[in-house]
Amino acid sequence: MKPGMVPPPPGEESQTVVLPPGWQSYLSPQGRRYYVNTTTNETTWERPSSSPGIPASPGLHRSPLPPTVNGYHASGTPAHPPETAHMSVRKSTGDPQNLGSSSPGKKHSKENTITINCVTFPHPDTMPEQQLLKPTEWSYCDYFWADKKDPQGNGTVAGFELLLQKQLKGKQMQKEMSEFIRERIKIEEDYAKNLAKLSQNSLAAQEEGSLGEAWAQVKKSLADEAEVHLKFSSKLHSEVEKPLMNFRENFKKDMKKCDHHIADLRKQLASRYVAVEKARKALTERQRDLEMKTQQLEIKLSNKTEEDIKKARRKSTQAGDDLMRCVDLYNQAQSKWFEEMVTTTLELERLEVERVEMIRQHLCQYTQLRHETDMFNQSTVEPVDQLLRKVDPAKDRELWVREHKTGNIRPVDMEI
């Protein structure tokens, strides 16, 4: 048997017919066969025809099921079992109702299901692993359905909570990057201030000639360099630090809302699960009471015993109806939880990609500004280089002598 395929259930069409390319066949937990296009993620109850545009079963209704995600449709219909961490196999109690089925009358063995976080899944031994929604991308929507043991304690952390923690950690890292850039700006501002102050220093101000001109240009270049660094710090603030700080100002608040929403859905699902178990137990008790009274009728016939049986039968029927109602409510809660989980995890994945890309772009802007600063700094020392190449000690000496000479007649020897 190929991976991802299961034998057809009794009464269903044979799957020996080859499906069109890209289609695979699976069973829902209720035993109904559906088909998934692994290329487009389209799902349908109809068996697709090998001829485009011609359905194989025109009498069936096409159901707009969403793509499979980690083995589950967003509507809550399981397509394949997820990871088996923290799974507990549910033992059969012999009653006909199966948790997770909207029709308690269907006979599904509870040994074929498992529960994770109060959610029913097909047992891994009964359903081969099927394709993920994004099998090559390690997408959030495929790998965070179960809980994970908390390394710092004895409890567990929900898979969705791990995703939220990553998002909030990313926000904190972004904030720390902004603080780092702010420190860099402060260094630039202090450096520019010190350079400007040093350029006003009067040391060696009396140097003369071409060397004096070069020295004066050295001091002026410091003032020019100070201006370059001051502009660099200003651009760092407006083009790097500020965008990092302002990006998703309400991010943490939005994440808390999202966390509360998913947590509320999980609580509702757990509550529905408890209600189903309670109703299942009540049905078992009513069935046992009905069986006991039936046995009493076989031993002794009386009007009272017959009335008791009728009453017990009514209670048993009512208990079955209650179980059916609880199962329906449970399935609705499970479906809603799955829909929100898929939608929200994909949104968190998109937000993380957006955050990383935003930071990358601003760090690229930082390096660009840094290159520009280096270029401008180089331009401030070019005049100095030009003047240094013109320094001429002989010419400087000539000019100085012409200005300060005291006489050009050499002394002569005295005669006797």
Side-chain angles (χ1 to χ4, degrees):
M1 184 180 296
K2 295 181 180 179
M5 299 296 291
V6 295
E12 296 234 357
E13 60 179 309
S14 173
Q15 298 303 310
T16 58
V17 180
V18 178
L19 294 173
W23 288 88
Q24 291 188 1
S25 171
Y26 306 109
L27 286 180
S28 71
Q30 289 75 34
R32 187 177 178 184
R33 184 170 299 284
Y34 64 98
Y35 304 88
V36 179
N37 188 313
T38 58
T39 302
T40 64
N41 290 321
E42 176 188 1
T43 59
T44 177
W45 296 112
E46 293 182 18
R47 183 173 64 81
S49 172
S50 56
S51 299
I54 304 177
S57 305
L60 295 177
H61 173 67
R62 197 176 191 89
S63 175
L65 291 176
T68 57
V69 178
N70 194 30
Y72 271 75
H73 295 293
S75 64
T77 303
H80 75 283
E83 59 184 291
T84 58
H86 304 287
M87 296 181 177
S88 59
V89 179
R90 295 181 49 78
K91 302 298 182 182
S92 174
T93 59
D95 56 87
Q97 288 77 8
N98 178 33
L99 180 59
S101 171
S102 59
S103 177
K106 289 190 177 182
K107 295 182 181 297
H108 290 293
S109 173
K110 292 173 67 177
E111 293 180 353
N112 293 334
T113 62
I114 54 178
T115 57
I116 306 175
N117 304 330
C118 298
V119 183
T120 53
F121 294 88
H123 196 281
D125 294 338
T126 63
M127 291 283 287
E129 185 176 359
Q130 302 176 26
Q131 290 187 347
L132 304 176
L133 179 61
K134 298 182 178 181
T136 61
E137 300 183 25
W138 292 93
S139 175
Y140 290 169
C141 65
D142 286 326
Y143 297 100
F144 291 91
W145 296 99
D147 292 354
K148 183 178 182 180
K149 187 175 181 180
D150 187 358
Q152 299 180 351
N154 298 325
T156 59
V157 180
F160 186 77
E161 182 65 25
L162 290 176
L163 292 178
L164 287 181
Q165 290 176 5
K166 177 174 175 54
Q167 293 290 321
L168 296 177
K169 180 181 179 181
K171 178 65 175 178
Q172 179 63 26
M173 295 302 99
Q174 179 180 318
K175 179 181 178 182
E176 292 181 9
M177 289 180 187
S178 179
E179 294 173 352
F180 180 90
I181 297 297
R182 187 182 305 124
E183 290 297 318
R184 182 74 172 88
I185 292 173
K186 186 176 183 302
I187 291 173
E188 287 295 320
E189 291 174 343
D190 292 342
Y191 185 52
K193 181 179 179 180
N194 291 332
L195 284 177
K197 181 178 180 180
L198 184 60
S199 68
Q200 302 299 320
N201 195 292
S202 60
L203 292 175
Q206 296 182 355
E207 181 61 52
E208 300 175 342
S210 58
L211 182 59
E213 293 177 5
W215 176 247
Q217 186 60 45
V218 168
K219 296 170 68 177
K220 183 178 182 304
S221 70
L222 294 182
D224 295 340
E225 186 178 356
E227 184 66 21
V228 168
H229 284 276
L230 199 59
K231 290 181 179 179
F232 176 49
S233 65
S234 177
K235 288 186 176 181
L236 279 181
H237 172 70
S238 62
E239 299 180 20
V240 181
E241 180 202 7
K242 192 173 181 180
L244 286 175
M245 284 296 296
N246 294 340
F247 185 68
R248 296 183 192 159
E249 290 183 345
N250 298 323
F251 183 74
K252 188 172 183 178
K253 183 178 180 181
D254 293 341
M255 286 298 100
K256 285 185 177 180
K257 289 182 179 179
C258 185
D259 185 21
H260 292 158
H261 179 57
I262 296 295
D264 288 343
L265 290 176
R266 282 195 59 172
K267 289 179 181 178
Q268 185 183 42
L269 183 60
S271 175
R272 300 299 188 194
Y273 179 84
V274 172
V276 169
E277 290 299 295
K278 184 177 179 180
R280 191 190 307 282
K281 182 179 179 180
L283 176 59
T284 302
E285 292 176 353
R286 296 304 181 187
Q287 288 176 335
R288 187 182 298 113
D289 182 56
L290 176 60
E291 182 181 356
M292 182 182 64
K293 285 182 170 52
T294 302
Q295 292 175 353
Q296 291 176 356
L297 178 61
E298 295 175 354
I299 299 174
K300 180 180 179 181
L301 293 175
S302 68
N303 293 334
K304 181 178 180 181
T305 304
E306 291 179 357
E307 288 297 325
D308 289 342
I309 290 177
K310 291 180 180 180
K311 184 177 180 181
R313 184 175 292 113
R314 286 195 300 269
K315 290 183 178 181
S316 178
T317 302
Q318 181 62 44
D321 292 341
D322 290 343
L323 178 58
M324 180 182 290
R325 180 181 58 82
C326 290
V327 169
D328 287 340
L329 292 174
Y330 169 86
N331 285 339
Q332 293 174 18
Q334 176 177 263
S335 176
K336 182 64 175 175
W337 181 69
F338 270 102
E339 290 173 1
E340 293 297 326
M341 276 287 290
V342 171
T343 302
T344 308
T345 53
L346 288 176
E347 176 64 12
L348 293 180
E349 186 174 302
R350 185 193 66 80
L351 290 175
E352 177 64 9
V353 171
E354 183 183 60
R355 182 189 75 88
V356 171
E357 179 60 23
M358 183 277 298
I359 294 177
R360 186 193 69 83
Q361 291 179 0
H362 285 91
L363 292 182
C364 286
Q365 180 65 13
Y366 167 80
T367 59
Q368 178 64 27
L369 292 174
R370 187 70 177 82
H371 290 317
E372 292 177 359
T373 300
D374 291 341
M375 181 181 65
F376 291 142
N377 282 338
Q378 182 64 29
S379 66
T380 63
V381 297
E382 289 177 356
V384 178
D385 291 336
Q386 295 174 2
L387 290 177
L388 288 175
R389 285 193 292 269
K390 295 178 180 179
V391 170
D392 186 351
K395 185 65 176 178
D396 288 349
R397 184 174 63 252
E398 176 186 347
L399 293 175
W400 188 86
V401 169
R402 285 179 179 276
E403 182 180 353
H404 297 91
K405 64 182 179 179
T406 58
N408 56 0
I409 300 176
R410 292 183 299 172
V412 296
D413 295 337
M414 295 181 61
E415 297 180 355
I416 297 178

